[in-house]
Structure formats: structure tokens, C-alpha cells
Amino acid sequence: KLYYINHDGIFMRDLNTDPMKEIKLCPIPAELKAMGTIRHYCTHVTLSKDRRKMFLDLKIDDRFVQGTVDLKTGKFQTWGITDFFINHGQINPENDDLALAAWEVNWKDAKGVEHPIHKVNGIYPRLWLLRPDGSRKMIPSMTNYATHEYWTADGKGFYFCSGGKGVILHDLATGKQKVVVRHKASHAAMTADLSGVTFDFGVGPWWRGGAMGVAFWNTKTGKVVYLYRKYPAYNTQDNPSKLHPDSHPHFACGDKYVVTTVNAGKQRMELSVTPTKQLFEMTK
């Protein structure tokens, strides 16, 4: 099933029956509209374990609101309201009372005043755990830098990229972190059993739309294979993209494939699908 949200409500399409049929699940909660102008709804679409609720990280005027919406009733439960830019919200796949989120970027308010991200007590503040009671906890990175975090499939931990340091796995029970991929990485995804990681990485100087590569890492052998060592830049450095053309590789269809976008040149993105089995074979 495919779930998505826009100004008209939250929708679903059943890809096994009629992919073209749009099913409206619920309207945008009235209490959210009453707060002001909604600038965006969520960065990732994630659902509760029973698929009855969707987690939202909204920007409403100059406030940032986190919570869940009941897909049947349209009722919104507020988890928190912050004055700093929380996004990338993702509800835990096994625990409906826990969400992962990010304090990611600088932002400008309605008056044009810029609010920069800054370290908190010397800690880079990217990683946050949120709960329905409004409590939240910042998780320090072992390298004091983090980007593109995501839950493990079993909900027992999460992983994130740390630039040139690689991909790091955080265990919720112990709070311990370990490097599972020793390779420069910008965005990553892991198989359900944590044995394989696919990731993209910048090649040369970084800018939005610069040259990138895509790779696969076998965590059991520590070997890497490149799907794309380097594909051309989407934009020039003096004219960076206003979009987000990074590859964002991920696993699909029960980890059978790596699906990623690649820049084919001439500002045209293409879809690449690679069987995972051959990547494990190449990294035995």
C-alpha cells in the first residue's frame, strides 16, 4: 500500500488491487489548521505498528509540531511543539510510543530572521527521541556529527551517517554505538538482519547536486562493492540545486533489491534497481 499526504488530506492507494484509485483516509486535522499556515506536514511517511496512525512533523508558521494523526477519525495527538526545526520524524516500527527525529538545519522565520543550528553543551544536536507525553531526549553521536538517521527494522535501535566516519548503529537498550560501515556516507539503509548496508556518498567537494556515488557494504565481511563509483553533478557548484537530488538508496521488496536514483546527466534523474543477492555474492 502507498500512503501520502497533501493539503486535501491523507490518502492511500492499494497497489495490489487498483493502483490508480485514490482512497481518502481522513482530512487534515482541524486543530492543526487552527494553529496557522501549514508549511509542510512530514519528511518521512511512517505508520504505527497497526497502521492506524501516521506520524507528522509539521512546520506551522514559525512553530514546529510533532505528533500522530488517527487515520480513521482524523484526530491529532500532539507529542511536542518546539521553537527549533525538528523534522525527519519516524515512529518506531515496534513501539507506538517512541519516535526518532532530527534537529537538522538552519531556518528563517516569517520576519526573515535566520535561526542557525548550534551545538548544545558542545554536542551536535541532530538526534532526538520523542514520546507522546511531550518528553524528548537528545542522543549524542560518538563522532559528534550525524545525518540521515533511520530505525532498524526490529525497532531495537537506529543507525545514522557520520560523514567521513561512516555509518553508526545505536542500540536503544544499552545506549552503545558502533561503526558498522567504515566508508564515507551521506544517506544509508540497512537490511532487516543488519547484514547489508547501501549508502550514497559525495565525490569531491560537496554541494547540493554535486557528484555522488552509491555503494553496498557487507557488515559480516567488511567488504564493499560500488553500484556507481561516481555519477555526474546535477548542478554546478556556483548554482546548487534547490531540490534534493541525492541518491537515497534503500532496500525494497523484503531486501531483495537496492533501489536508488542516479543522475544520468543533463539534469535528468533515473531509477536504478539492483538485486541484493549479487551484491552479497560479490562481497563474500
Side-chain angles (χ1 to χ4, degrees), residues 175-223:
K176 294 182 178 180
Q177 297 178 356
K178 64 178 180 179
V179 179
V180 292
V181 173
R182 298 187 179 279
H183 189 294
K184 182 181 180 181
S186 299
H187 309 88
M190 300 184 75
T191 57
D193 64 1
L194 309 184
S195 63
V197 185
T198 183
F199 57 94
D200 61 16
F201 56 93
V203 180
W206 185 91
W207 67 87
R208 183 67 73 197
M212 297 193 76
V214 180
F216 171 88
W217 183 281
N218 187 320
T219 62
K220 293 182 178 180
T221 65
K223 293 184 178 181

Side-chain angles (χ1 to χ4, degrees), residues 20 39 89 94 98 122 124 127 147 156 176 218-220:
M20 301 306 294
R39 306 296 182 182
E94 295 292 331
L98 183 64
Y124 188 77
L127 306 170
T147 183
K156 294 181 179 180
K176 294 182 178 180
N218 187 320
T219 62
K220 293 182 178 180

Side-chain angles (χ1 to χ4, degrees), residues 4 30 87 96 119-120 182 194 201 255 275:
Y4 54 98
N87 66 354
D96 293 347
K119 291 184 177 180
V120 178
R182 298 187 179 279
L194 309 184
F201 56 93
D255 295 338

